[in-house]
Amino acid sequence: MSVQEYLNKHMLSRKIEDAVNAAVRAKSPDPVLFISNHMRKAVPSVITKIKARQILDSRGIPTVEVDLFTHKGMFRASVPSGDPSGMYEALELRDGDKGTYLGNSVNRAIKNINERISEALVGMDPILQSQIDQAMIDLDKTEKKGELGANAILAVSIAACKAGAVEKEVPLYKHIADLAGKTNLTLPVPAFTVISGGKHAGNNLAIQDIMILPIGASSFGEALQMGSETYHHLKAVIAEKYGAHGCNVGEDGGLAPNISSIREGLDLVKEAINRTGYNEKIKMAIDVAATDFCKGTKYDLDFKSPNKSGQNFKSGEDMIEMYKELCADYPIVSIEDPFDKEDWEHTKSVLQICQQVVGDDLLMSNPKRIERAIHDSTCNALLLKINQIGTVTEAIEVVKLANDVPWGVVISHRSGETEDSFIADLSVGLASGQIKAGAPCRGERLAKYNQLLHIEEELGDHAIYAGEDYRQCL
């Protein structure tokens, strides 16, 4: 017997003896169950097995799902996916075989988890999130996680985070708060997508989303009610004006009537809000996603209309004037990606127009680009997409960067989502103040909103809804 084996044996014997003595002292009616529970708490759990598989996301495209096992049970996580935005984000690993799922299958990422990542992590304590994430980063050895795949690494990172919470016997959001050094658990203001356009819908609307923010609600539950009621009133408004076919939805669940102008969409939403009677309690936001229709130094607002494309080009100055007029005429409090991802100067100008300017394609959750934007005062809010960075630990670190400025933080879903509700707990644990999880319809979107209802109920009298402080929940 080796020294380590001898120590392990005698430490276990000591823990069994302690458990028996505790059962005697407690005069337990079921000493076997008491001893079992006592031992479970006494013996630290470790990762015993990791198994991955390929599943489909909300668009019917393959993604990665992981089951991570410890002595406390099995913990499942799946990762979202979006349209790759460029060279600055962590890389998804896909197989590229056009004969299988049109090249989108993720069998190489699955193999990396089942073989290389599993071998590296089995035996580690799931509480040690940063060590687990660093072990995978070190194993990958590339800047953008291209060897193992950010989709492989993130799935394991999230599963480990869930296991760590159970090991500590705390809710997932509380474990995340502990990892981030946060004490103020906060329910976020939801940015509900109500009209979809851009690449996410088949209409002629150039911008990607028109959203509503129920900042005047007194609780998250009331905010969800406001969002749902507005959404259904909007369906009625659209059906009256365009017929039932106008109520088709985009990838994120937003309604997608065949409109081509931003004003037309905002007018529809404004009428829906009026019908709810909430009025001042609900603000608007737009995700322009301007990179998608930037042509050199011009912006083609008719890029989705073949007959008109090229006829409605706007310069950067034209776009700024348009944003000024929209913010004057509608209760818009947030604009996301108003210009191309490399158009830093024009983006900076929008800070004088709108309360919040959110960087998505501009930042790509990349620490270096975030630091540049902070230094240059380019925007004042971070859109965090965890699959763009690749681990829970790194997501926490970039949120700390944003908090230090301080910026607003929006935890975001992706166009390709799963039923995993992790970002709901992430938003509460990091006290982000804002979450963007799509429309108040479709199961993969509602999984996040319904989890926030669960969290609010669990927190009870301690539940705090960000409301009008949605930008300053630090």
Side-chain angles (χ1 to χ4, degrees):
M1 181 183 293
S2 70
V3 172
Q4 188 60 55
E5 288 171 335
Y6 177 85
L7 289 173
N8 288 343
K9 177 181 177 182
H10 284 274
M11 285 175 68
L12 185 59
S13 298
R14 204 172 304 129
K15 286 169 181 170
I16 293 172
E17 183 180 347
D18 289 344
V20 171
N21 289 335
V24 171
R25 288 194 301 272
K27 298 179 181 179
S28 172
D30 189 344
V32 174
L33 180 61
F34 185 96
I35 291 169
S36 174
N37 290 337
H38 189 92
M39 287 293 295
R40 193 179 295 115
K41 292 179 181 179
V43 179
S45 194
V46 296
I47 297 171
T48 58
K49 179 183 175 183
I50 301 174
K51 178 175 175 54
R53 67 184 63 84
Q54 176 173 276
I55 63 169
L56 297 184
D57 69 19
S58 59
R59 301 170 302 176
I61 295 174
T63 192
V64 178
E65 181 178 78
V66 163
D67 292 345
L68 183 146
F69 297 81
T70 73
H71 299 114
K72 299 290 176 69
M74 184 272 284
F75 306 92
R76 178 168 291 168
S78 53
V79 295
S81 177
D83 295 321
S85 299
M87 66 184 75
Y88 304 108
E89 63 181 299
L91 297 175
E92 288 182 334
L93 186 62
R94 296 193 180 273
D95 299 342
D97 176 6
K98 296 297 183 182
T100 306
Y101 282 113
L102 307 180
N104 290 315
S105 55
V106 290
N107 292 312
R108 285 196 295 159
I110 300 299
K111 183 177 181 181
N112 286 339
I113 294 170
N114 290 338
E115 296 177 4
R116 298 175 63 187
I117 292 176
S118 178
E119 182 180 353
L121 299 190
V122 165
M124 293 188 72
D125 185 341
I127 290 178
L128 305 177
Q129 185 72 41
S130 62
Q131 293 182 26
I132 289 168
D133 290 343
Q134 191 59 51
M136 291 189 284
I137 291 169
D138 292 343
L139 185 64
D140 181 270
K141 296 186 178 70
T142 67
E143 184 180 357
K144 295 189 289 184
K145 303 176 178 66
E147 175 69 22
L148 298 175
N151 44 352
I153 291 172
L154 179 60
V156 176
S157 181
I158 293 173
C161 192
K162 294 178 180 181
V166 171
E167 177 63 21
K168 287 167 59 177
E169 298 184 344
V170 299
L172 178 56
Y173 57 85
K174 178 63 169 64
H175 177 48
I176 292 169
D178 291 344
L179 293 173
K182 295 276 188 177
T183 57
N184 55 327
L185 301 171
T186 308
L187 277 297
V189 170
F192 295 112
T193 301
V194 288
I195 288 185
S196 291
K199 288 185 175 180
H200 292 177
N203 54 15
N204 289 326
L205 182 63
I207 71 168
Q208 190 160 282
D209 295 314
I210 298 176
M211 296 168 283
I212 57 170
L213 281 69
I215 65 172
S218 60
S219 66
F220 180 81
E222 186 181 15
L224 186 58
Q225 178 184 336
M226 288 181 177
S228 175
E229 290 176 2
T230 305
Y231 184 83
H232 286 284
H233 276 294
L234 180 59
K235 284 180 74 172
V237 172
I238 290 171
E240 290 166 14
K241 188 166 185 179
Y242 303 95
H245 65 277
C247 296
N248 293 332
V249 299
E251 289 180 345
D252 299 346
L255 297 161
N258 194 24
I259 57 177
S260 56
S261 81
I262 303 173
R263 281 186 174 273
E264 192 175 356
L266 291 170
D267 284 338
L268 292 171
V269 176
K270 189 175 182 180
E271 172 59 24
I273 294 172
N274 286 338
R275 292 190 185 187
T276 67
Y278 294 126
N279 296 325
E280 296 303 315
K281 293 184 176 183
I282 296 179
K283 301 300 182 183
M284 294 184 187
I286 56 175
D287 176 5
V288 182
T291 297
D292 291 342
F293 54 89
C294 180
K295 312 293 183 183
T297 60
K298 301 282 188 179
Y299 294 87
D300 184 3
L301 290 175
D302 286 327
F303 83 105
K304 293 173 69 177
S305 178
N307 297 328
K308 295 182 180 179
S309 184
Q311 296 178 19
N312 191 17
F313 276 133
K314 288 188 179 293
S315 66
E317 289 68 30
D318 293 335
M319 294 288 284
I320 288 171
E321 190 59 34
M322 180 185 75
Y323 295 136
K324 282 182 183 177
E325 293 174 359
L326 293 177
C327 289
D329 295 342
Y330 302 93
I332 296 172
V333 296
S334 181
I335 300 178
E336 182 180 328
D337 279 349
F339 290 97
D340 178 71
K341 65 178 181 291
E342 302 300 345
D343 194 344
W344 295 71
E345 286 305 311
H346 280 122
T347 300
K348 183 187 300 187
S349 301
V350 185
L351 287 170
Q352 309 303 316
I353 300 169
C354 190
Q355 184 181 96
Q356 178 171 267
V357 178
V358 184
D360 177 13
D361 290 342
L362 178 81
L363 304 177
M364 298 182 201
S365 305
N366 182 300
K368 292 180 181 177
R369 288 180 73 88
I370 294 169
E371 288 171 354
R372 175 184 170 185
I374 290 171
H375 180 268
D376 294 348
S377 299
T378 310
C379 58
N380 63 0
L382 163 69
L383 191 86
L384 176 64
K385 295 173 174 175
I386 52 175
N387 74 312
Q388 287 186 331
I389 192 161
T391 66
V392 172
T393 300
E394 290 168 296
I396 290 171
E397 290 304 313
V398 295
V399 168
K400 287 180 179 178
L401 278 178
N403 287 165
D404 287 344
V405 183
W407 277 6
V409 175
V410 186
I411 305 296
S412 179
H413 66 158
R414 300 306 311 267
S415 55
E417 264 298 338
T418 73
E419 297 85 357
D420 196 319
S421 61
F422 179 75
I423 63 169
D425 287 82
L426 185 69
S427 180
V428 175
L430 297 182
S432 68
Q434 302 172 72
I435 188 169
K436 181 181 175 183
C441 82
R442 294 185 53 139
E444 75 281 356
R445 315 294 158 181
L446 290 172
K448 285 70 169 171
Y449 296 134
N450 288 337
Q451 174 62 3
L452 288 166
L453 284 179
H454 300 154
I455 294 171
E456 184 168 61
E457 180 181 316
E458 188 171 282
L459 288 172
D461 293 340
H462 298 289
I464 299 171
Y465 175 63
E468 294 182 357
D469 295 327
Y470 67 98
R471 280 189 39 79
Q472 301 298 329
C473 295
L474 306 180

